[in-house]
PDB file of all heavy atoms in Angstrom:
ATOM      1  N   VAL A 261    -122.816  39.740-123.187  1.00  0.00           N
ATOM      2  CA  VAL A 261    -123.256  38.463-122.627  1.00  0.00           C
ATOM      3  C   VAL A 261    -123.401  37.427-123.740  1.00  0.00           C
ATOM      4  O   VAL A 261    -123.105  36.249-123.564  1.00  0.00           O
ATOM      5  CB  VAL A 261    -124.588  38.647-121.870  1.00  0.00           C
ATOM      6  CG1 VAL A 261    -125.133  37.297-121.386  1.00  0.00           C
ATOM      7  CG2 VAL A 261    -124.403  39.615-120.707  1.00  0.00           C
ATOM      8  N   PHE A 262    -123.818  37.875-124.892  1.00  0.00           N
ATOM      9  CA  PHE A 262    -123.921  37.024-126.072  1.00  0.00           C
ATOM     10  C   PHE A 262    -123.136  37.652-127.215  1.00  0.00           C
ATOM     11  O   PHE A 262    -123.229  38.864-127.448  1.00  0.00           O
ATOM     12  CB  PHE A 262    -125.380  36.838-126.498  1.00  0.00           C
ATOM     13  CG  PHE A 262    -125.509  36.049-127.786  1.00  0.00           C
ATOM     14  CD1 PHE A 262    -125.478  34.665-127.756  1.00  0.00           C
ATOM     15  CD2 PHE A 262    -125.610  36.694-129.013  1.00  0.00           C
ATOM     16  CE1 PHE A 262    -125.569  33.937-128.944  1.00  0.00           C
ATOM     17  CE2 PHE A 262    -125.691  35.982-130.188  1.00  0.00           C
ATOM     18  CZ  PHE A 262    -125.685  34.595-130.157  1.00  0.00           C
ATOM     19  N   PRO A 263    -122.346  36.863-127.925  1.00  0.00           N
ATOM     20  CA  PRO A 263    -122.057  35.444-127.689  1.00  0.00           C
ATOM     21  C   PRO A 263    -121.073  35.245-126.557  1.00  0.00           C
ATOM     22  O   PRO A 263    -120.249  36.109-126.284  1.00  0.00           O
ATOM     23  CB  PRO A 263    -121.477  34.985-129.022  1.00  0.00           C
ATOM     24  CG  PRO A 263    -120.873  36.218-129.610  1.00  0.00           C
ATOM     25  CD  PRO A 263    -121.719  37.351-129.166  1.00  0.00           C
ATOM     26  N   ASP A 264    -121.157  34.085-125.917  1.00  0.00           N
ATOM     27  CA  ASP A 264    -120.216  33.741-124.856  1.00  0.00           C
ATOM     28  C   ASP A 264    -119.360  32.573-125.315  1.00  0.00           C
ATOM     29  O   ASP A 264    -119.377  32.178-126.491  1.00  0.00           O
ATOM     30  CB  ASP A 264    -120.967  33.407-123.555  1.00  0.00           C
ATOM     31  CG  ASP A 264    -121.971  32.280-123.732  1.00  0.00           C
ATOM     32  OD1 ASP A 264    -121.952  31.622-124.812  1.00  0.00           O
ATOM     33  OD2 ASP A 264    -122.763  32.042-122.830  1.00  0.00           O
ATOM     34  N   GLU A 265    -118.598  31.979-124.398  1.00  0.00           N
ATOM     35  CA  GLU A 265    -117.695  30.887-124.760  1.00  0.00           C
ATOM     36  C   GLU A 265    -118.456  29.689-125.308  1.00  0.00           C
ATOM     37  O   GLU A 265    -118.012  29.026-126.247  1.00  0.00           O
ATOM     38  CB  GLU A 265    -116.880  30.480-123.540  1.00  0.00           C
ATOM     39  CG  GLU A 265    -115.830  29.418-123.838  1.00  0.00           C
ATOM     40  CD  GLU A 265    -114.932  29.132-122.649  1.00  0.00           C
ATOM     41  OE1 GLU A 265    -114.920  29.955-121.696  1.00  0.00           O
ATOM     42  OE2 GLU A 265    -114.277  28.078-122.651  1.00  0.00           O
ATOM     43  N   ALA A 266    -119.642  29.434-124.736  1.00  0.00           N
ATOM     44  CA  ALA A 266    -120.415  28.268-125.162  1.00  0.00           C
ATOM     45  C   ALA A 266    -120.969  28.406-126.571  1.00  0.00           C
ATOM     46  O   ALA A 266    -121.261  27.418-127.239  1.00  0.00           O
ATOM     47  CB  ALA A 266    -121.564  28.017-124.170  1.00  0.00           C
ATOM     48  N   THR A 267    -121.136  29.640-127.027  1.00  0.00           N
ATOM     49  CA  THR A 267    -121.663  29.865-128.369  1.00  0.00           C
ATOM     50  C   THR A 267    -120.587  30.375-129.323  1.00  0.00           C
ATOM     51  O   THR A 267    -120.884  30.990-130.345  1.00  0.00           O
ATOM     52  CB  THR A 267    -122.829  30.871-128.313  1.00  0.00           C
ATOM     53  OG1 THR A 267    -122.420  32.061-127.625  1.00  0.00           O
ATOM     54  CG2 THR A 267    -124.043  30.262-127.612  1.00  0.00           C
ATOM     55  N   SER A 268    -119.333  30.080-129.000  1.00  0.00           N
ATOM     56  CA  SER A 268    -118.216  30.468-129.836  1.00  0.00           C
ATOM     57  C   SER A 268    -117.351  29.241-130.178  1.00  0.00           C
ATOM     58  O   SER A 268    -117.444  28.215-129.489  1.00  0.00           O
ATOM     59  CB  SER A 268    -117.348  31.513-129.137  1.00  0.00           C
ATOM     60  OG  SER A 268    -118.090  32.680-128.824  1.00  0.00           O
ATOM     61  N   PHE A 269    -116.527  29.349-131.200  1.00  0.00           N
ATOM     62  CA  PHE A 269    -115.667  28.253-131.621  1.00  0.00           C
ATOM     63  C   PHE A 269    -114.252  28.482-131.090  1.00  0.00           C
ATOM     64  O   PHE A 269    -113.718  29.592-131.136  1.00  0.00           O
ATOM     65  CB  PHE A 269    -115.617  28.144-133.143  1.00  0.00           C
ATOM     66  CG  PHE A 269    -116.959  27.780-133.749  1.00  0.00           C
ATOM     67  CD1 PHE A 269    -117.767  28.765-134.290  1.00  0.00           C
ATOM     68  CD2 PHE A 269    -117.386  26.469-133.784  1.00  0.00           C
ATOM     69  CE1 PHE A 269    -118.998  28.453-134.841  1.00  0.00           C
ATOM     70  CE2 PHE A 269    -118.612  26.124-134.345  1.00  0.00           C
ATOM     71  CZ  PHE A 269    -119.418  27.126-134.863  1.00  0.00           C
ATOM     72  N   ALA A 270    -113.646  27.391-130.583  1.00  0.00           N
ATOM     73  CA  ALA A 270    -112.260  27.453-130.116  1.00  0.00           C
ATOM     74  C   ALA A 270    -111.315  27.239-131.289  1.00  0.00           C
ATOM     75  O   ALA A 270    -111.713  26.763-132.364  1.00  0.00           O
ATOM     76  CB  ALA A 270    -112.004  26.409-129.047  1.00  0.00           C
TER      77      ALA A 270
END
Side-chain angles (χ1 to χ4, degrees):
V261 175
F262 175 83
D264 57 10
E265 184 174 344
T267 53
S268 301
F269 295 99

